Amino acid sequence: MAQMRGPGSYGIGAPNPFGGTSDDKPEGSSPLDAIREQTSKIEDLLDNLSEPIKPFLPAIGRFLIVVTFIEDALRIITQWSDQLLYLHDYRHIPSGLTHLFLIINVIAMSVCSTLVIIRKHSEYAVVGLIGVVITQAIGYGLIFDLNFFLRNLSVMGGLLMVLSDSWVRKTKAFAGLPQIEEKDRKMYFQLAGRVLLIFLFVGFVFSGEWSLWRVIVSLLGLVACVMVVVGFKAKFSATLLVVILSIFNILVNNFWTLHEHHPHRDFAKYDFFQILSIVGGLLLLVNTGPGQFSIDEKKKVY
């Protein structure tokens, strides 16, 4: 059920021990409180509208996060000779190593993606996929490509959201040794995941040609990114980013409209599935919330 933020929340509406009514609002109400009030209404509406799909949201988010790895594994298999040619002739990697590199990548992406989807051994799966991101950046010579680097940081942020979503409190502890409980590690990884997820928008802002709609989308996206990072109305801002990225993905990375041999088809297809992965990370954020290191959680305490 949607959590209604009515007058009874946070003790508001209780009798005032010093006289007067509890409905009296401070004269110096801050703009932050006004924004919180308006976005709370929108969040309640979104909660009600999304009620039927809420039980499936974690599974959808996990699938979308790894969909870029599944597509990449299929791409390597279907373009095997082209991949070998590029690695050997342009990256100057010896023939035996090129085969080994591609085989390991296909196996790692296939197995780890499956483990993420079925929620088994998520820690090893996430480490494996992050390893794939790093080795591919080095192997294909894209490690110094800023746009590629920022996009992969966002994908890693989505993978960290998978990791934090998978952890539960452990009861086993070793006597005499300081322990970091799973919930504490979850908080740190939720924070890191939130921060990394927004790097896609940083790359979007500083690439491509400027136009009026691009300025508007960039401003909205940057505001939403800041809200995600600090954890202020994180569910609302993550939902806004999901909508913006989904519309952008369909309009700009519509690879299905390009001819099979079009030179930009593979790039558009790659970008499309990478953005889907980042959308998956944002959906996990919508489902689990921003965690303890956020303005939303601190507001509940104070």
Side-chain angles (χ1 to χ4, degrees), residues 26-45:
E27 294 182 1
S29 182
S30 68
L32 199 63
D33 291 332
I35 296 173
R36 184 182 293 276
E37 182 180 354
Q38 295 302 318
T39 53
S40 292
K41 296 177 182 178
I42 299 175
E43 280 185 337
D44 289 335
L45 177 62

Side-chain angles (χ1 to χ4, degrees), residues 54-110:
K54 273 186 178 179
F56 309 103
L57 207 57
I60 295 172
R62 283 172 168 266
F63 173 75
L64 290 179
I65 285 172
V66 299
V67 73
T68 188
F69 297 101
I70 297 173
E71 188 275 332
D72 199 25
L74 292 174
R75 182 202 299 259
I76 291 175
I77 294 172
T78 57
Q79 300 177 359
W80 185 262
S81 58
D82 292 337
Q83 297 282 337
L84 289 175
L85 182 66
Y86 176 81
L87 291 173
H88 182 267
D89 291 357
Y90 293 94
R91 295 297 298 154
H92 307 295
I93 299 175
S95 296
L97 291 180
T98 57
H99 287 76
L100 185 62
F101 176 81
L102 293 180
I103 291 171
I104 291 176
N105 270 273
V106 169
I107 293 174
M109 288 188 289
S110 303

